[in-house]
Amino acid sequence: MTSQRALPSGKRFNSQLQIFLADSLTIFWGDWLDLRVRILPVAASGLISPLIYILAFGLGLGSSIKPGSGISGNYDNYLEFILPGMVALSSMTVSFAGTTFSICGDRLFTKTFEELLLTPINPLALYIGKMLAGVVRGLMTSGSVILVALLISGNWNFVNPLFLLLVVLNCAVFAGLGVIVGLSVRSLESVGLYNNFIIIPMSFLGATFFDPGTLPAALKVVVYLLPLTYASIGLRAAAHLPLSQFPWYSIPILLVVAIALSFWGGYKFAHQQD
């Protein structure tokens, strides 16, 4: 303790930051050891719904939706319009569900979660580690959808840095929400309630299938309260629109939501009693 106090404040902060990062990566590594042997199942788990939506809406219903009528004239067809939304949808679904069920399994079935809570690690580092594992889950599946989008459209903007940054931020938001829900629920039935009342409505109202600019004012308020909306419109712009038309506000909004969830998650870990 004496040597710690003797360190200059800058070096002490750097030392604490290194410990915090090391603890976060340690928690993440524990989940990664489980994930790395299930890469293909995890990557494929969230691919079915986007593929169904692409076939049903993009290739089926989408043939009756023309550019300039329902969607902007910036797109050649409806399929091109919804592909970025499918990336947002898949990253949200798997980041949330994978993280929630992972924590619920440890808390409610294997009963190993108490050991994690007893470790001398900052609660925020516990949250960051679990959230990072959820981000990786989401990136595995959204990477599969991006590959499908590349094969269908041939548009290499699906892998540009701005597009990938938004995917990571979207994964961070919903993995963080998954951590909080996983810490809060008392049964798997409760997880179903959160999924039915939050994730499924957001899947359809988060601007994945429509342009929110065409909605009445009252509905716009609801749609723009959803973080998925900012991911969808940002990904769509990054994939198809010039940089001058990119909605730059989507990045700080998703970042602020992710940071707010991290403080909430750190508080939940600090007060968790299992």
Side-chain angles (χ1 to χ4, degrees):
M1 291 295 293
T2 304
S3 60
Q4 182 78 356
R5 290 197 189 99
L7 288 173
S9 59
K11 290 185 177 179
R12 185 162 61 246
F13 173 78
N14 289 337
S15 176
Q16 292 172 347
L17 180 61
Q18 289 175 359
I19 293 172
F20 177 84
L21 293 175
D23 289 343
S24 300
L25 291 175
T26 298
I27 299 300
F28 162 74
W29 188 253
D31 279 17
W32 169 248
L33 293 177
D34 178 55
L35 276 173
R36 67 179 183 178
V37 299
R38 299 186 296 111
I39 290 178
L40 288 179
V42 171
S45 63
L47 188 58
I48 302 302
S49 292
L51 284 178
I52 292 174
Y53 292 141
I54 288 170
L55 292 173
F57 292 97
L59 299 177
L61 177 65
S63 60
S64 62
I65 301 176
K66 304 302 180 183
S69 176
I71 61 173
S72 167
N74 294 314
Y75 308 96
D76 293 333
N77 50 61
Y78 185 64
L79 176 61
E80 185 178 90
F81 177 83
I82 68 167
L83 283 175
M86 294 303 96
V87 176
L89 177 62
S90 63
S91 60
M92 173 191 74
T93 304
V94 175
S95 295
F96 175 82
T99 305
T100 302
F101 282 109
S102 173
I103 293 177
C104 283
D106 291 344
R107 286 183 58 230
L108 304 177
F109 295 101
T110 62
K111 301 295 183 180
T112 58
F113 199 72
E114 294 89 343
E115 299 175 7
L116 182 66
L117 295 176
L118 292 173
T119 56
I121 291 179
N122 187 302
L124 184 57
L126 292 173
Y127 168 86
I128 295 296
K130 289 294 183 180
M131 182 270 292
L132 286 176
V135 169
V136 171
R137 289 186 182 93
L139 290 177
M140 288 179 182
T141 299
S142 57
S144 302
V145 180
I146 289 172
L147 179 60
V148 171
L150 282 173
L151 293 174
I152 292 175
S153 68
N155 183 357
W156 287 96
N157 282 331
F158 279 96
V159 290
N160 73 44
L162 192 55
F163 190 95
L164 298 178
L165 172 62
L166 283 164
V167 174
V168 171
L169 286 174
N170 193 49
C171 289
V173 167
F174 288 100
L177 185 60
V179 172
I180 292 167
V181 171
L183 292 174
S184 303
V185 298
R186 296 299 175 186
S187 66
L188 288 181
E189 288 79 7
S190 300
V191 177
L193 288 176
Y194 280 97
N195 190 66
N196 289 335
F197 286 97
I198 297 178
I199 299 302
I200 291 178
M202 201 180 305
S203 300
F204 292 93
L205 297 177
T208 51
F209 297 100
F210 59 87
D211 182 355
T214 62
L215 295 175
L219 286 178
K220 278 184 182 179
V221 173
V222 176
V223 169
Y224 278 103
L225 286 174
L226 306 176
L228 184 64
T229 298
Y230 299 97
S232 297
I233 60 179
L235 290 173
R236 193 169 289 130
H240 297 297
L241 300 182
L243 202 59
S244 60
Q245 298 182 35
F246 181 79
W248 291 101
Y249 58 84
S250 59
I251 293 177
I253 288 175
L254 289 173
L255 186 60
V256 166
V257 174
I259 292 172
L261 288 172
S262 70
F263 284 108
W264 187 8
Y267 175 85
K268 290 285 292 182
F269 265 110
H271 296 82
Q272 187 73 16
Q273 295 182 1
D274 278 330

